[in-house]
């Protein structure tokens, strides 16, 4: 199975860092292989259709924006 690509979109603020940590925890809890990237460039974030950060994409699909979701909320999104 290919690695899952997760992107955290945001300026790098405390909430963005928490979302990234939550995503990594969810990946570890499920024993999955994933690449977690943090995108801070506002132009790249806008290209993904995101105007409210922090946001997260999984394999290119925006799954969350404007708030920090917990590892428990992320896990079902990774199993799709």
């Amino acid at each position: 199975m290919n690695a899952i690509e997760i992107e955290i979109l945001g300026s790098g603020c405390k909430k963005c860092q928490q979302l990234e940590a939550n995503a990594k925890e969810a990946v570890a809890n499920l024993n999955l292989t994933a690449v977690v990237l943090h995108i801070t460039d506002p132009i790249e974030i806008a290209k993904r259709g995101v105007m409210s950060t922090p946001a997260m994409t999984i394999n290119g699909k925006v799954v969350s924006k404007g708030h920090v979701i917990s590892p428990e909320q992320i896990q079902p999104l990774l199993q799709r």
Side-chain angles (χ1 to χ4, degrees):
M1 184 174 162
N2 293 335
I4 297 167
E5 183 178 277
I6 300 170
E7 292 178 331
I8 305 301
L9 310 172
S11 64
C13 69
K14 191 172 182 179
K15 286 184 178 183
C16 298
Q17 292 170 8
Q18 184 62 57
L19 182 57
E20 182 174 356
N22 290 354
K24 288 178 179 178
E25 183 178 333
V27 168
N29 288 345
L30 294 173
N31 244 358
L32 297 174
T33 302
V35 176
V36 180
L37 306 171
H38 197 129
I39 309 296
T40 58
D41 181 356
I43 294 170
E44 286 300 315
I45 293 170
K47 281 183 186 177
R48 288 159 177 78
V50 172
M51 295 297 150
S52 182
T53 60
M56 184 171 75
T57 70
I58 297 175
N59 293 331
K61 181 181 178 203
V62 177
V63 295
S64 169
K65 52 185 165 181
H67 60 280
V68 177
I69 57 176
S70 70
E72 294 76 21
Q73 292 171 300
I74 295 170
Q75 288 175 9
L77 301 172
L78 294 172
Q79 295 175 309
R80 291 183 182 171

